[in-house]
Amino acid sequence: MKLAELFVKDAMDLSLENTDKKSTLRYLAERFAQAGGVSDVDSYVKKLEAREAQSTTGVGDEIAIPHAQDASIKQAAIVFARSNEGVEWASFDGLPAKLIFMIAAPEGGGEHLQALASLSSILMNPQAKEALLNAQTSKEIVDIIASFEAEKEEEKVQAAVSSIDEKAQTAGDIYLLAVTACPTGIAHTYMAEEKLNQAAKKAGYDIKVETNGQTGVGNRLTSADIERATAIIVAADKQVEMARFDGKPVIITKVADGINKADELVGRAAKADAKIYRANREEHTTASDSDENESLGRQFYKHLMNGVSHMLPFVVAGGILIALSFFWGINSSNPEDPSYNQIAHVLNTIGSLSFGMMLPVLAGFIGQSVADRPGLVIGFMGGVFANPSTLSAFSGAGIFENAEASGFLGALVAGFLAGGIVWCLRKGLSWLPKSIEGMKPIFLYPVLGVLAMGLIMFFVVNAPMGAVMTGLQNLLTSIPSELSVVLGFVVAAMMSIDMGGPINKAAYVTGAALVTASNGAGSDVMAAVMVGGMVPPLAIAISATFNKNLWAPEQRNSALVNYVMGASFITEGAIPFAASNPLRVIPSLAIGSGVAGALSMVFGSVSFVPHGGIFAVLAGGVTNPLMYALSWLIGGFVGALLLNFLVKSPSEQLDK
């Protein structure tokens, strides 16, 4: 499909008056709908905003390329708008966007993406930009795109012809390689490709750029390319294949640098000004790592979040199934209890097995983040060795008679310990001949690593970490009731401060750890944490219900959806609203959450599961369910009330 054919003339606006990103996205989506391109505007706008939340689509040089897929889009299209004053887009270079290309694609579509890559290339041409700024009609816009697209095709043909006639280059010639990749693989990947090509051409160097886009790997680097290369630039925000670059100078940086610092990167690469990449020792280095040194705190958080993000689906699945088993009674899954029910037994068993994977998955994926694949199996087994249910299988047997489990804290230690074990094994086995190099990852690392992990966990880590976990439980249970209210306020408020960020995760991980270590007794802290995470979406929904003018028109429908998100314990539903006015919205939500958490403590609610929201409450997963639900509602109304006092409506902001 030709690029020019994607432009929707009827939806173009060459004198855009909107000045902010949100209203512009809504406006262009509505024009697209009027032209018959999309049937569900709200859904498409939500997808656009979600993409902007990942990273800005303002690619710099007064250009923005917002893009998203949606099931209600009939066929791929581009909606163009031009603003004389510019729209604030948080672009990489800080300039407002004057040329806006909104890309719409059907869900699961792929045939249009090569054309989108062409758009990124064309927009890097200063003459194309100038022509688009001066065009007077929508037809001129399409003609300009078609003209420069044809020019690009001609350049490719000429390049192919010249490469056939070109003599083989001498060994001293500079030959650069690059790999570009962004999380969505639509715009930034190809913008970086074009900028690097331009920078190399200007400097007189040959370059080949591999793109890791939505359609897969384009212009793949061959072994011959890599062998010949002077240096390699990896400008990527997601993982790409790195082991192939072993022994070559490699610059690892962000995809944004491939766009904004292309000249600098090409200059460094031409001088081979980069570290030599060693895959056998640095397999854990991914393309998302920066060439600049990260702080220890940042590295710790990144590895921890890799474990937590993979752990959560197991926690959610197991927690909700366990909660559903309580529907027939809190002990209905126990065959010896009078309330025994076979369905409850099945649900509880499946849920418990899923929930039991929490610690191995947490430790395994922390280990993978630290030490790549060898760290996965070693970390996974470390989580198994820390799991109380593992030890119960052979308690009282010989040397393990007094063995202790370390639970959640032990699994955290095991994840990072896996990275250390792999590092030691690589060092210790480096003397082995290269002929058995292939045995290391599939035989030596797993066998020796799991053995080392088991010995360290059982005889070094488990006892002290188990004591710390027990001490933490005892400390929390010994807190006087008046202070437990403060604790409930604090952990619940933490859930609202960054909603999915490190503070939120710290509170959640603490609550989940206490539930895991409770051996079925549940945790009042987890109850406070969960209700704290349920309040922000509820507060947003209530505020929109009782004050229809509080939020911008494009936000109202999604505000009401937050009733469901709050009930489901999906705190992130409040993020778009908090981002629109963080200094006023976040304190309101944090206070509402804190009130709910404090009330949960006052009412003595205990959660037996680490997830599930109102569904866990209805199924009996939380004690004192009526008062717990009341705590949630009160917190939601407190948050909504504060929002109405502190947040100015869009009309008031305009008047001001």
Side-chain angles (χ1 to χ4, degrees):
M1 181 181 292
K2 293 292 184 181
L3 181 64
E5 296 173 4
L6 295 176
F7 281 77
V8 183
K9 293 181 183 178
D10 294 341
M12 285 189 191
D13 189 340
L14 303 186
S15 56
L16 182 69
E17 296 182 356
N18 300 65
T19 58
D20 65 282
K21 184 194 298 188
K22 282 196 172 185
S23 64
T24 300
L25 292 175
R26 167 67 62 170
Y27 173 71
L28 294 181
E30 289 176 345
R31 287 185 68 87
F32 187 36
Q34 291 168 6
V38 60
S39 57
D40 191 340
V41 172
D42 291 336
S43 175
Y44 179 48
V45 170
K46 188 175 180 181
K47 301 284 181 59
L48 289 168
E49 291 176 344
R51 173 60 187 87
E52 293 295 332
Q54 293 179 5
S55 63
T56 180
T57 58
V59 295
D61 202 24
E62 300 179 324
I63 297 169
I65 312 179
H67 48 272
Q69 297 180 341
D70 190 77
S72 68
I73 294 173
K74 299 175 181 177
Q75 61 182 21
I78 299 176
V79 177
F80 174 73
R82 186 177 66 199
S83 169
N84 293 326
E85 300 299 324
V87 178
E88 177 52 46
W89 215 276
S91 299
F92 295 126
D93 56 7
L95 295 176
K98 292 186 177 180
L99 300 177
I100 302 165
F101 300 81
M102 187 183 76
I103 297 171
E107 236 173 37
E111 73 284 348
H112 62 292
L113 293 178
Q114 199 56 49
L116 301 182
S118 301
L119 172 64
S120 302
S121 300
I122 289 172
L123 294 179
M124 292 297 98
N125 188 324
Q127 294 179 345
K129 177 188 172 185
E130 188 65 26
L132 291 169
L133 286 171
N134 294 322
Q136 299 299 311
T137 65
S138 58
K139 183 179 183 302
E140 285 184 40
I141 295 291
V142 175
D143 290 343
I144 290 168
I145 295 295
S147 172
F148 280 94
E149 185 178 18
E151 185 178 306
K152 278 286 178 186
E153 291 297 326
E154 181 63 26
E155 287 179 5
K156 289 180 180 178
V157 172
Q158 291 299 327
V161 172
S162 62
S163 66
I164 295 173
D165 297 334
E166 194 176 57
K167 293 181 180 180
Q169 294 184 322
T170 65
D173 287 338
I174 292 174
Y175 182 56
L176 306 181
L177 299 180
V179 179
T180 63
C182 68
T184 54
I186 294 182
H188 297 78
T189 299
Y190 303 104
M191 299 286 278
E193 175 199 24
E194 183 64 18
K195 278 290 189 181
L196 290 169
N197 277 323
Q198 287 181 359
K201 183 178 180 181
K202 183 170 64 175
Y205 305 137
D206 285 340
I207 190 171
K208 180 177 179 180
V209 184
E210 174 185 291
T211 55
N212 283 240
Q214 190 70 267
T215 54
V217 176
N219 205 27
R220 183 182 290 275
L221 305 181
T222 66
S223 57
D225 290 325
I226 297 169
E227 179 67 26
R228 178 186 165 201
T230 306
I232 299 140
I233 301 166
V234 178
D237 289 340
K238 69 176 185 178
Q239 189 170 358
V240 297
E241 185 184 348
M242 294 293 292
R244 54 187 168 156
F245 303 140
D246 182 41
K248 305 294 291 189
V250 179
I251 300 171
I252 304 174
T253 188
K254 301 173 290 187
V255 70
D257 289 344
I259 298 172
N260 299 314
K261 299 180 180 178
D263 292 330
E264 177 187 331
L265 293 174
V266 166
R268 285 182 58 192
K271 300 173 186 175
D273 179 16
K275 294 179 181 178
I276 301 298
Y277 184 78
R278 296 296 182 191
N280 60 329
R281 296 199 301 270
E282 302 174 27
E283 289 177 1
H284 62 281
T285 302
T286 65
S288 60
D289 293 326
S290 173
D291 199 28
E292 302 152 1
N293 292 328
E294 290 183 313
S295 67
L296 286 175
R298 169 62 184 165
Q299 292 179 46
F300 175 85
Y301 174 72
K302 184 170 65 176
H303 298 320
L304 174 62
M305 286 303 103
N306 190 60
V308 170
S309 63
H310 284 88
M311 173 195 79
L312 280 177
F314 292 89
V315 174
V316 173
I320 291 182
L321 289 172
I322 292 172
L324 290 174
S325 75
F326 296 151
F327 183 79
W328 291 270
I330 198 69
N331 296 313
S332 58
S333 61
N334 183 359
E336 298 178 1
D337 193 89
S339 63
Y340 174 71
N341 182 280
Q342 290 181 337
I343 297 177
H345 193 184
V346 170
L347 289 173
N348 190 278
T349 300
I350 296 173
S352 296
L353 289 171
S354 175
F355 191 63
M357 295 296 296
M358 179 177 77
L359 300 187
V361 170
L362 172 69
F365 281 95
I366 291 176
Q368 183 201 45
S369 180
V370 176
D372 204 55
R373 269 188 253 180
L376 177 62
V377 63
I378 300 172
F380 193 95
M381 291 309 299
V384 171
F385 300 147
N387 200 336
S389 61
T390 303
L391 293 183
S392 65
F394 51 81
S395 59
I399 195 172
F400 294 107
E401 182 175 359
N402 298 314
E404 296 184 45
S406 52
F408 201 91
L409 292 181
L412 289 178
V413 172
F416 290 97
L417 180 60
I421 290 174
V422 172
W423 184 86
C424 290
L425 289 174
R426 284 173 175 157
K427 288 286 186 183
L429 300 176
S430 59
W431 59 273
L432 292 174
K434 285 191 174 292
S435 59
I436 63 170
E437 191 72 24
M439 290 180 61
K440 290 180 180 178
I442 63 170
F443 179 72
L444 295 176
Y445 291 163
V447 173
L448 297 177
V450 170
L451 174 61
M453 177 65 78
L455 293 173
I456 295 172
M457 290 299 293
F458 284 134
F459 301 111
V460 179
V461 173
N462 276 0
M465 287 297 102
V468 171
M469 201 70 211
T470 302
L472 178 60
Q473 287 179 275
N474 294 337
L475 174 65
L476 293 174
T477 55
S478 65
I479 293 177
S481 58
E482 58 271 17
L483 292 181
S484 67
V485 173
V486 177
L487 175 64
F489 185 96
V490 171
V491 296
M494 288 172 68
M495 294 296 292
S496 297
I497 292 176
D498 57 355
M499 287 170 279
I503 298 175
N504 170 285
K505 287 293 187 290
Y508 180 78
V509 165
T510 300
L514 292 171
V515 171
T516 306
S518 69
N519 293 322
S523 168
D524 54 357
V525 174
M526 185 66 240
V529 166
M530 185 158 68
V531 78
M534 294 165 64
V535 163
L538 177 65
I540 296 294
I542 293 174
S543 68
T545 300
F546 289 96
N547 185 351
K548 299 187 185 304
N549 298 318
L550 183 62
W551 305 105
E554 62 269 18
Q555 290 181 302
R556 286 174 198 156
N557 289 337
S558 58
L560 298 178
V561 173
N562 273 277
Y563 279 117
V564 177
M565 301 190 81
S568 304
F569 186 24
I570 303 176
T571 315
E572 288 80 358
I575 288 178
F577 302 88
S580 67
N581 196 345
L583 294 179
R584 296 176 184 269
V585 174
I586 291 177
S588 303
L589 300 180
I591 292 173
S593 291
V595 168
L599 288 173
S600 172
M601 286 290 195
V602 169
F603 297 138
S605 295
V606 172
S607 178
F608 300 102
V609 292
H611 214 288
I614 201 66
F615 305 106
V617 177
L618 294 174
V622 180
T623 62
N624 208 355
L626 290 178
M627 301 311 292
Y628 188 74
L630 181 63
S631 302
W632 175 48
L633 293 173
I634 291 174
F637 274 102
V638 169
L641 188 64
L642 290 172
L643 287 171
N644 276 278
F645 272 112
L646 296 178
V647 178
K648 295 184 180 296
S649 67
S651 59
E652 289 175 320
Q653 294 178 30
L654 290 174
D655 292 340
K656 184 177 179 180

